Amino acid sequence: MTVATAKETRGFETEVKQLLHLMIHALYSNKEIFLRELISNASDAADKLRFEAISNPDLYEGDTELAIHIEYDKEAKTITIRDNGIGMSREEVITNLGTIAKSGTQEFLRSLTGDQVKDRHLIGQFGVGFYSSFIVADKVTVLTRRAGLSPELGVRWESQAEGDYTIETIEKDKRGTDVILHLKSQEEDFLNGLRLRHIVTKYSDHINIPVMMVVEDFTQADEQKKESSPKEEVVNRASALWTVPKSEIDDEAYCEFYKHVAHDFEDPLVWAHNKVEGKLEYTTLLYIPARAPFDLWQANKPRGLKLYVKRVFIMDDAEQFLPNYLRFVRGVIDSNDLPLNISREILQSNKTVDSMRASIIKRVLTMLTDLAKENNEKYLTFWREFGQVLKEGPAEDFANRETIAKLLRFSSTHADSETQDVSLDDYISRMKEGQDKIYYIAADTFNAAKHSPHLEIFRERGVEVLLLHDRIDEWLMSHLPEYEKKHFQSVAIGSLEDLEFAKDKGSEAETDKEKSDFEHEKETFKDTLSRIKDALKDKVKDVRLTARLTSSPSCIVADEGQMSSQMQRLMRSAGQLVSAQPILELNPHHLLVQRLSHENDQESFHDLSQILLDQAILAEGGQLDDPATFVRKFNELLLHVAKKGNGKDD
Ligand code: ADP
């Protein structure tokens, strides 16, 4: 114990130093949020105490009136935020206030640009909590003792944010935490009872617990105030927001509560507040954030709702109430049916939880459906931030597949824009007479999809095609065979026979003529096709003519029932062995293809066939087995053309 008692100076973890640097250099235009962050922490500490005291009432140490006190001292230039919550032990102080446990912090810090405006947005996604003290303070002192530990095991932590802090063991009678902010000289305006009250009601009206301040008579001059007795009053409403009737809550209160629950700095996009009565009784307050958190894709990132049972906080991040594809939802659930001593393990296999989860999913999907109907601009913001996560839905949640599909948005050849704003209903409303499929193409990038040769005939005939370019899209499609009874069809798979509907309704004689022309071409090219097949051997499954292409000479397609080449690539990148030969399709009207049928030199024939296959693979975004040879042969061909241009035909 003697070592622990001594005052010790310790360095902050590198990440903390970087964050503090950001704080000190005043990234925040809105400085007053420091108070919200500290009150939020104090309220969490009260929640944790209440929870732990369920199984160990001694932790209350005879004091069950949980509250937060805010005091300010004009002479000392300090503001103190005091709580009688759970407090911290020495080890907890070292971990909580000296390191950052969030995974992905490194990546986050690397993503900062040094541009104050951009970084302000980023830092909002990260949530800085306690460290926001240094927005207004140049020195912060924390006095704390964990509930249940003896008074000699209090801790004093102090830092001027210059790379290190001191820590010593002190005597602290009362459990809980005092955070004392020594204000920077230019921030002394905060030493004002009215202003502090205003900030508390603005940001912390609806936290679960009273925020107390000494009564002041604002009609009197400063000197007289000191004589007034230090009676305290509650300055916030102190009623958990979700327990208040909807009609009494304004948007601002919902937004501020969100920031407390989600540790976010921005307003949410939408929310839904519902009280369920009947067989099960519970209240949910669910929010959709306006911006993806920096760690949305971190596998082990905590997610889920804040769980309360009969208004007692039970746990953060109760993930059992939300499926993975709705992991961006934040908020609170308060159940009257679950036992207070419920654990994560029990949550996993609990019928009550299952049925709550099912109705929460419905609620979130309804909230999104309504948003899409009522405010497309906001919906597209949602889609930009979380669309890729929602695309996991059809695979994960079979029962709600149709509802989720309605919420999906894509790029398409209708506008050829990279912005994903086309819904399946939009697509269906523009389908041509007789069209019974939803066509799509999937590629690695938007440009690869947009310029794919497979689209040529569709563009010519005015048939819209969805341009899928997110990594997850092929996987999504494999779990979404149809929508509104219309099958999805990759334009890179199978033959084109079902495109008949999209032909110009010219004279029948014309159509018949086209058909007979195509038959004639097939006949003319018969030998050439089989020669190409011989030349390419097992690299292709078949070689055939197509009406799919109008300007490119060749493309590859997958056979009916085969994986598209994009899907094969994804499987390969996931380490799976897949080898499926493509079908090479040729455009009989293209000069290169026609030239091939007149090529008698065996070697030239072989090279040209190979080039037609290779360029079709490249146009798909695929990789060549032997790119160097392709480049060499291609250059030979170019040289040949160049020589011809110079009149040096050989
Ligand atoms: P966050 O609140 O997002 O976890 P903070 O940096 O605000 O991050 O706080 C870090 C940790 O310090 C908290 O998770 C909590 O464990 C602890 N802490 C902060 N303030 C208090 C407090 N008033 N009482 C007890 N613990 C606290």
Side-chain angles (χ1 to χ4, degrees):
M1 248 331 111
T2 39
V3 179
T5 320
K7 188 162 168 175
E8 195 186 338
T9 301
R10 299 174 74 114
F12 283 118
E13 197 187 39
T14 321
E15 282 89 348
V16 180
K17 278 190 214 157
Q18 283 169 290
L19 264 191
L20 288 174
H21 182 83
L22 286 170
M23 293 301 106
I24 293 160
H25 292 83
L27 270 173
Y28 289 93
S29 50
N30 191 10
K31 296 185 173 189
E32 62 196 25
I33 55 98
F34 77 91
L35 195 56
R36 173 185 77 203
E37 296 300 304
L38 296 176
I39 291 178
S40 187
N41 279 348
S43 141
D44 288 347
D47 274 347
K48 283 180 201 157
L49 175 69
R50 258 192 222 117
F51 175 66
E52 287 194 21
I54 296 170
S55 53
N56 182 8
D58 289 348
L59 291 180
Y60 279 123
E61 300 174 12
D63 170 19
T64 52
E65 300 276 307
L66 299 184
I68 300 167
H69 299 260
I70 298 179
E71 288 151 15
Y72 66 97
D73 181 332
K74 279 197 154 179
E75 266 94 66
K77 301 187 174 45
T78 57
I79 298 176
T80 300
I81 295 92
R82 192 171 77 238
D83 68 64
N84 55 355
I86 192 74
M88 287 178 273
S89 68
R90 188 182 170 101
E91 286 68 36
E92 284 168 329
V93 171
I94 292 172
T95 340
N96 293 337
L97 308 185
T99 64
I100 300 176
K102 292 177 203 169
S103 58
T105 305
Q106 277 285 357
E107 289 81 349
F108 162 76
L109 288 166
R110 264 201 295 274
S111 70
L112 294 176
T113 59
D115 174 330
Q116 294 227 350
V117 179
K118 280 191 201 140
D119 288 351
R120 197 181 301 153
H121 277 297
L122 282 170
I123 198 120
Q125 286 168 270
F126 185 76
V128 284
F130 171 76
Y131 301 111
S132 62
S133 317
F134 289 99
I135 298 173
V136 294
D138 48 20
K139 185 165 87 177
V140 178
T141 311
V142 177
L143 309 174
T144 186
R145 173 169 68 76
R146 199 176 204 290
L149 293 183
S150 61
E152 317 76 78
L153 292 178
V155 181
R156 183 174 193 276
W157 177 101
E158 190 166 85
S159 176
Q160 306 195 37
E162 285 161 350
D164 54 30
Y165 60 90
T166 58
I167 185 163
E168 65 188 303
T169 302
I170 55 161
E171 175 130 355
K172 187 171 184 301
D173 278 350
K174 293 194 168 148
R175 64 149 198 275
T177 305
D178 303 359
V179 177
I180 305 159
L181 308 175
H182 307 264
L183 296 190
K184 296 177 185 171
S185 56
Q186 69 270 29
E187 307 300 348
E188 287 168 19
D189 291 353
F190 283 108
L191 298 168
N192 175 320
L194 267 181
R195 179 149 189 215
L196 290 173
R197 277 173 167 75
H198 178 72
I199 302 175
V200 171
T201 49
K202 182 166 167 195
Y203 297 110
S204 310
D205 219 19
H206 278 293
I207 59 156
N208 222 344
I209 170 178
V211 176
M212 318 281 296
M213 287 184 74
V214 170
V215 176
E216 290 179 69
D217 181 357
F218 294 107
T219 59
Q220 302 290 311
D222 260 8
E223 298 79 62
Q224 290 171 309
K225 259 197 300 185
K226 285 191 197 120
E227 291 159 24
S228 63
S229 67
K231 255 181 68 186
E232 284 194 307
E233 61 182 349
V234 180
V235 294
N236 65 339
R237 289 205 216 193
S239 49
L241 186 72
W242 66 91
T243 62
V244 178
K246 271 188 198 179
S247 56
E248 291 171 25
I249 309 176
D250 60 14
D251 287 0
E252 209 182 340
Y254 276 121
C255 290
E256 286 314 326
F257 187 73
Y258 163 77
K259 291 173 191 171
H260 164 64
V261 171
H263 296 263
D264 193 348
F265 279 59
E266 274 183 58
D267 285 345
L269 212 52
V270 266
W271 54 87
H273 181 189
N274 292 91
K275 196 169 171 158
V276 177
E277 277 161 334
K279 230 172 97 194
L280 290 179
E281 284 188 14
Y282 60 93
T283 304
T284 52
L285 176 49
L286 307 170
Y287 291 96
I288 311 282
R291 186 184 282 273
F294 76 105
D295 52 2
L296 181 67
W297 297 98
Q298 216 102 51
N300 53 357
K301 172 207 157 64
R303 58 185 188 84
L305 303 174
K306 230 178 158 78
L307 172 66
Y308 288 76
V309 170
K310 300 184 190 81
R311 266 142 314 285
V312 176
F313 166 79
I314 305 294
M315 64 178 81
D316 281 313
D317 315 315
E319 69 266 16
Q320 291 78 3
F321 294 95
L322 288 170
N324 216 11
Y325 75 96
L326 297 179
R327 62 180 176 273
F328 48 81
V329 174
R330 311 306 306 265
V332 170
I333 173 156
D334 187 348
S335 159
N336 276 349
D337 308 295
L338 295 171
L340 277 168
N341 61 356
I342 193 151
S343 65
R344 275 184 203 274
E345 291 66 41
I346 297 173
L347 280 180
Q348 265 161 18
S349 53
N350 181 293
K351 284 223 166 62
T352 308
V353 173
D354 291 345
S355 99
M356 283 159 76
R357 172 186 160 110
S359 74
I360 288 173
I361 293 175
K362 287 242 150 58
R363 211 137 256 151
V364 174
L365 294 177
T366 306
M367 173 160 54
L368 291 173
T369 306
D370 292 347
L371 182 68
K373 268 193 219 139
E374 287 153 19
N375 191 333
N376 192 46
E377 196 185 322
K378 268 194 179 177
Y379 187 74
L380 292 183
T381 305
F382 158 76
W383 184 258
R384 196 182 59 229
E385 297 295 317
F386 301 110
Q388 298 211 39
V389 181
L390 198 70
K391 281 179 178 175
E392 297 170 10
E396 194 185 347
D397 186 354
F398 192 81
N400 289 302
R401 206 167 50 170
E402 195 80 4
T403 316
I404 301 166
K406 214 179 235 330
L407 292 168
L408 301 176
R409 294 294 180 271
F410 301 99
S411 300
S412 93
T413 54
H414 181 68
D416 267 336
S417 137
E418 193 164 358
T419 312
Q420 300 179 8
D421 58 0
V422 175
S423 71
L424 294 173
D425 290 328
D426 294 338
Y427 182 98
I428 289 177
S429 72
R430 292 192 287 255
M431 274 169 58
K432 296 201 106 176
E433 209 183 311
Q435 180 179 353
D436 60 357
K437 289 188 176 144
I438 300 174
Y439 293 100
Y440 71 91
I441 179 145
D444 279 342
T445 63
F446 171 69
N447 278 326
K450 178 179 163 182
H451 296 127
S452 165
H454 291 121
L455 298 178
E456 289 171 10
I457 186 73
F458 287 85
R459 288 192 189 279
E460 189 179 272
R461 295 192 184 168
V463 178
E464 185 170 354
V465 178
L466 301 177
L467 303 171
L468 311 188
H469 50 93
D470 281 339
R471 249 186 105 71
I472 188 172
D473 285 335
E474 276 278 9
W475 193 67
L476 163 69
M477 283 300 156
S478 65
H479 288 91
L480 199 64
E482 57 172 44
Y483 174 72
E484 297 275 342
K485 303 213 165 48
K486 301 194 169 44
H487 277 275
F488 287 94
Q489 170 73 49
S490 162
V491 300
I493 295 181
S495 69
L496 277 179
E497 266 143 36
D498 54 324
L499 256 190
E500 283 300 312
F501 69 88
K503 279 202 165 159
D504 270 344
K505 299 269 177 296
S507 71
E508 268 190 30
E510 219 170 278
T511 321
D512 286 347
K513 183 174 174 305
E514 268 179 37
K515 266 193 190 150
S516 76
D517 282 356
F518 196 62
E519 288 310 312
H520 180 68
E521 277 160 355
K522 269 196 196 158
E523 202 42 47
T524 324
F525 279 90
K526 205 169 148 200
D527 286 346
T528 315
L529 294 181
S530 81
R531 278 177 72 198
I532 301 174
K533 214 175 154 184
D534 284 346
L536 296 175
K537 294 207 190 68
D538 51 3
K539 288 180 191 150
V540 291
K541 184 168 182 183
D542 196 8
V543 182
R544 67 189 183 203
L545 294 187
T546 183
R548 198 188 298 269
L549 302 171
T550 58
S551 56
S552 304
S554 60
C555 67
I556 51 170
V557 295
D559 207 355
E560 214 82 62
Q562 219 180 29
M563 261 183 247
S564 72
S565 39
Q566 168 73 1
M567 189 64 171
Q568 292 178 33
R569 270 198 296 283
L570 288 177
M571 305 277 286
R572 265 186 227 115
S573 70
Q576 306 246 13
L577 264 181
V578 273
S579 66
Q581 299 158 304
I583 295 170
L584 177 66
E585 290 196 341
L586 300 173
N587 173 3
H589 304 288
H590 198 281
L591 270 177
L592 268 181
V593 178
Q594 291 177 352
R595 147 117 203 253
L596 199 58
S597 66
H598 299 121
E599 182 58 73
N600 292 322
D601 178 71
Q602 197 48 39
E603 196 182 331
S604 300
F605 184 90
H606 184 277
D607 287 355
L608 202 51
S609 303
Q610 186 66 49
I611 283 177
L612 286 177
L613 173 63
D614 286 352
Q615 62 162 279
I617 295 175
L618 284 179
E620 277 257 306
Q623 275 196 345
L624 301 181
D625 277 349
D626 183 1
T629 302
F630 170 76
V631 171
R632 188 166 52 76
K633 303 261 184 217
F634 198 76
N635 281 332
E636 277 168 18
L637 207 70
L638 288 179
L639 267 179
H640 186 65
V641 175
K643 279 183 194 156
K644 248 187 165 168
N646 282 335
K648 286 191 219 154
D649 199 1
D650 49 11

